[in-house]
Amino acid sequence: MARNRFDVDENLESPFDIRHFRRAMVYIRRKKKPMLLAFVLSALSAAIALSAPLIMQHVVDVTIPAKAKLPLLGWSLLMLATIVVSVILATLRSRIMTSVGQDIIFDIRTDLFKHLQELPFKYYDDRPQGKILIRVVNYVNSVSDVLSNGIINFVLEIVNLIFIAAFMFAVDVRLSFVILAGLPVFLGIMLLIKTRQRRAWQSVSNKSSNLNAYLQESISGIGVTQSFSREQYNEGTFTRLAGNFRKEWMKALNYNTLIPFTVDNLSTSVTALIFLVGLLTLDPKDVTLGVILAMSSYAARFWQPILSLSNLYNSFINAVAYLERIFETLDEPVTVSDIPDAEELPPVRGQITFDNVTFAYDPGLNILENISFDVRAGQSIALVGPTGAGKTTVVNLISRFYNLTAGRILIDGEDISQVTLKSLRSQMGIMLQDSFIFSGTILDNIRYGRLDATEEEVIAAAKAVCADEFIREFDQGYLTEVNERGSKLSQGQRQLISFARTLLADPRILILDEATSSIDAKTERLLQRGLNELLKGRTSFIIAHRLSTVKNCDRIMYVSNKGIAESGSHDELIARRGLYYRLYTAQKMEA
């Protein structure tokens, strides 16, 4: 799909509306007690700080003209005390909100990760990993401050404005209206740029996502890059994506800087207007120097919350773009899930039935059509055929990694769509073509699917698949630390460890997808002897391109043309001289 590319911008399903922030309030309400305490501390700090201009007015108009030294010292100490107490309260509030912000980050990120764990394979098929990772890490960090400090600061600045306005009008009504004269200009500019500003930050979000996706892809594929000497070409691609991000960031930043520029100029103009109106047009008996100084101080204080609110608005606009992405991910439907009242699948024997199964990854493009077959418990089934015919799809459907387009799959007569996913998959051992190794010890990797397994059981599983010998060659043996994806191990070693992990889970149904493709012929022969014992009593599906590894299976199915073209034992299919016969003889000639 087009969106599964690092250089294609993502489109939002719907425009942002206030419901996004209502949903965000769920996380905020969990921290309402510390946030309320922080708000009270902030309000007290602001109220105490606002008394300073009144003290200054009294000192200029009364104390200094009276030349009262002792009262002047007292008023000075009182003003110092208001500053100290205000700073202490603000610091306490900052510490509380730092903790609250981290708690909100933790809650959102945990919900995102939990949801990502439940999303079906199709979601990951359609998106680069980098575009998923950036939502869990960067975007959550970007919205946390707005959802914690931003809410409190917004309310606090509104309260500050009310307090300041009350103090202003208490000192002089006429000069208060002079201060308010700049508000219509400010609101007009805000309304003019708000839509463009939001679109600009949405574009920044897209370019950041594209850059992150390409970076993740490049790191994962660094071996291929260096093998084909693609470094210079990749640098050019990265430079282009980074340049696109820089360009959109600067465009969005221009809108952000316009607001404080407007506020600063309006604040300066209003302050100058106070002196002009107060000194030239009003009666000096009513408007003293102390009144003018107090009102100019309140003018600066009045526009400071306006500037803070405008900065909060900028943060809000930025957060909107990220919240859209976060909630878009949380709203992604879990299409493969337990139905209401799904039952636990009891311990299975392993009889599997495909009943007129049809499947398509994308609507109208069927990969499989009307497939029907029965597998008896304990049978070994080989799936062969050309690349892309649907062999891996068949086994993925048994594990219910995707929903069927039509038909049913039954295990021991139970429709797998009617049972819980956990009870289904816990009885299956699946070794996919890509042998993924997690960071940690080799012991932890083998024990991944069965955490309660003893060390002796882990070693027994490793011995059965011929992994024990090479594991013991490491200095730390089973406690050897391996990196993500097992970069310290050969591909064959990774597959053997994955084999041991699958077999340790002791599944009733075993699925091996090209499980021996990276193992040398000698190891494969040793492994085959162990597998023959382990496959006894289990239903198994084996996908292999090397037909020599599956000729002893109970039944071989040739998958082609959206169905099962041929089915039978190796000898039966050879006798028919059909598709399987031609494939087998062609491989023998190549060998």
Side-chain angles (χ1 to χ4, degrees):
M1 300 181 74
R3 62 181 172 180
N4 193 17
R5 288 175 54 89
F6 61 80
D7 56 352
V8 175
D9 291 344
E10 299 172 280
N11 293 318
L12 290 169
E13 300 296 332
S14 59
F16 174 83
D17 58 48
I18 196 62
R19 287 177 296 176
H20 288 72
F21 263 91
R22 288 187 189 138
R23 292 179 63 180
M25 288 298 293
V26 172
Y27 299 97
I28 296 171
R29 282 195 291 268
R30 296 174 187 172
K31 307 299 174 185
K32 59 184 177 183
K33 289 184 179 179
M35 291 183 74
L36 181 60
L37 175 59
F39 174 75
V40 171
L41 293 175
S42 298
L44 288 174
S45 174
I48 292 171
L50 284 173
S51 63
L54 289 178
I55 295 172
M56 180 178 64
Q57 178 194 352
H58 181 80
V59 168
V60 171
D61 288 345
V62 178
T63 308
I64 292 178
K67 299 181 179 179
K69 296 182 179 179
L70 191 59
L72 178 61
L73 177 62
W75 285 114
S76 299
L77 291 175
L78 180 59
M79 178 172 283
L80 178 62
T82 61
I83 295 172
V84 171
V85 172
S86 177
V87 170
I88 290 173
L89 294 176
T91 301
L92 290 174
R93 176 256 191 189
S94 178
R95 291 174 65 92
I96 291 172
M97 291 314 300
T98 298
S99 176
V100 168
Q102 287 302 311
D103 288 343
I104 290 175
I105 286 177
F106 175 82
D107 290 345
I108 296 177
R109 191 167 285 151
T110 300
D111 287 349
L112 268 174
F113 183 78
K114 180 181 178 182
H115 191 65
L116 287 170
Q117 295 288 290
E118 297 172 350
L119 289 175
F121 278 17
K122 182 170 175 54
Y123 177 80
Y124 298 95
D125 293 341
D126 293 345
R127 291 164 181 80
Q129 293 179 15
K131 292 192 176 186
I132 300 172
L133 292 175
I134 197 172
R135 299 183 183 208
V136 181
V137 182
N138 300 43
Y139 291 175
V140 174
N141 286 339
S142 298
V143 303
S144 65
D145 193 56
V146 173
L147 297 182
S148 54
N149 278 309
I151 302 296
I152 285 185
N153 286 342
F154 177 79
V155 177
L156 182 64
E157 298 301 350
I158 296 295
V159 173
N160 273 346
L161 279 176
I162 295 173
F163 282 174
I164 294 169
F167 277 86
M168 280 170 20
F169 278 92
V171 174
D172 192 280
V173 175
R174 291 164 297 182
L175 292 180
S176 297
F177 281 112
V178 172
I179 295 174
L180 297 176
L183 274 179
V185 177
F186 172 75
L187 293 175
I189 293 175
M190 292 285 286
L191 290 172
L192 186 65
I193 69 171
K194 68 172 187 175
T195 300
R196 296 175 184 175
Q197 189 179 14
R198 174 174 175 264
R199 289 174 179 169
W201 282 107
Q202 278 185 337
S203 183
V204 169
S205 170
N206 273 328
K207 303 308 179 186
S208 174
S209 180
N210 293 347
L211 182 63
N212 194 74
Y214 184 70
L215 181 62
Q216 193 277 335
E217 180 182 291
S218 297
I219 293 173
S220 297
I222 190 66
V224 178
T225 295
Q226 294 181 356
S227 298
F228 287 91
S229 300
R230 284 259 306 195
E231 295 90 342
Q232 188 172 358
Y233 182 89
N234 287 5
E235 287 171 12
T237 302
F238 182 84
T239 301
R240 173 171 60 84
L241 293 172
N244 290 340
F245 172 75
R246 180 182 180 277
K247 177 183 176 182
E248 295 304 320
W249 176 273
M250 294 305 298
K251 185 187 298 184
L253 194 63
N254 287 336
Y255 288 111
N256 276 23
T257 55
L258 180 61
I259 295 176
F261 172 80
T262 302
V263 171
D264 286 342
N265 281 279
L266 285 174
S267 176
T268 302
S269 300
V270 166
T271 302
L273 198 59
I274 288 172
F275 281 92
L276 181 65
V277 173
L279 294 176
L280 299 181
T281 66
L282 299 180
D283 189 345
K285 295 179 181 179
D286 297 330
V287 183
T288 63
L289 178 60
V291 169
I292 292 176
L293 290 175
M295 291 302 290
S296 63
S297 177
Y298 280 128
R301 290 171 182 266
F302 177 82
W303 284 98
Q304 187 59 45
I306 298 291
L307 179 59
S308 297
L309 286 170
S310 66
N311 289 333
L312 284 173
Y313 176 77
N314 285 338
S315 299
F316 169 82
I317 292 297
N318 301 357
V320 163
Y322 300 132
L323 273 177
E324 289 171 315
R325 297 289 190 251
I326 291 170
F327 287 127
E328 183 189 43
T329 303
L330 287 172
D331 289 339
E332 190 69 31
V334 181
T335 54
V336 180
S337 62
D338 296 341
I339 64 169
D341 302 321
E343 298 180 353
E344 295 287 317
L345 180 65
V348 301
R349 293 179 295 106
Q351 180 179 343
I352 297 175
T353 301
F354 270 56
D355 182 13
N356 289 315
V357 169
T358 296
F359 175 76
Y361 290 104
D362 297 308
L365 300 174
N366 291 341
I367 302 297
L368 303 172
E369 287 184 352
N370 301 318
I371 289 183
S372 295
F373 62 81
D374 289 295
V375 176
R376 294 193 307 274
Q379 276 193 316
S380 58
I381 306 298
L383 298 175
V384 302
T387 300
K391 301 183 295 294
T392 298
T393 300
V394 171
V395 295
N396 281 341
L397 295 179
I398 299 172
S399 308
R400 206 182 157 212
F401 289 138
Y402 300 89
N403 287 326
L404 302 180
T405 304
R408 298 185 306 162
I409 297 177
L410 308 175
I411 296 181
D412 291 355
E414 296 278 354
D415 188 337
I416 64 171
S417 66
Q418 305 298 311
V419 302
T420 64
L421 290 172
K422 184 176 181 179
S423 66
L424 169 67
R425 293 174 183 170
S426 64
Q427 301 191 60
M428 306 185 73
I430 305 168
M431 184 173 171
L432 302 176
Q433 192 169 355
D434 180 17
S435 302
F436 194 93
I437 299 296
F438 297 90
S439 57
T441 66
I442 293 176
L443 182 72
D444 291 336
N445 268 278
I446 296 176
R447 195 184 272 158
Y448 188 84
R450 188 180 154 201
L451 298 178
D452 60 346
T454 65
E455 187 171 343
E456 290 74 19
E457 289 173 322
V458 170
I459 293 173
K463 286 181 177 179
V465 299
C466 305
D468 179 72
E469 183 178 349
F470 85 79
I471 292 174
R472 292 188 183 277
E473 290 177 356
F474 292 113
D475 291 339
Q476 300 298 318
Y478 284 84
L479 298 181
T480 300
E481 293 281 342
V482 291
N483 297 332
E484 179 187 349
R485 303 194 71 88
S487 59
K488 293 181 178 180
L489 303 170
S490 70
Q491 190 169 351
Q493 288 173 334
R494 291 199 297 270
Q495 283 195 306
L496 289 174
I497 290 174
S498 298
F499 235 132
R501 177 168 60 202
T502 301
L503 296 173
L504 181 64
D506 193 24
R508 300 306 307 161
I509 300 172
L510 191 61
I511 294 174
L512 308 177
D513 187 350
E514 289 293 337
T516 60
S517 61
S518 299
I519 299 173
D520 60 77
K522 179 182 177 182
T523 304
E524 185 179 359
R525 286 194 296 271
L526 293 172
L527 178 61
Q528 195 66 47
R529 290 202 295 268
L531 283 178
N532 290 337
E533 291 299 318
L534 290 164
L535 292 177
K536 287 181 180 178
R538 291 185 173 90
T539 304
S540 58
F541 286 81
I542 303 171
I543 299 175
H545 284 96
R546 289 189 299 200
L547 302 185
S548 59
T549 63
V550 299
K551 59 189 298 185
N552 294 324
C553 288
D554 296 322
R555 197 192 325 174
I556 299 171
M557 296 182 183
Y558 191 100
V559 182
S560 179
N561 295 324
K562 305 179 182 180
I564 308 298
E566 291 182 345
S567 177
S569 68
H570 171 77
D571 292 337
E572 290 172 345
L573 294 177
I574 291 295
R576 290 183 194 174
R577 305 177 72 85
L579 295 171
Y580 177 80
Y581 170 80
R582 289 196 289 272
L583 182 62
Y584 183 76
T585 52
Q587 284 194 7
K588 285 193 67 175
M589 291 178 64
E590 290 174 1

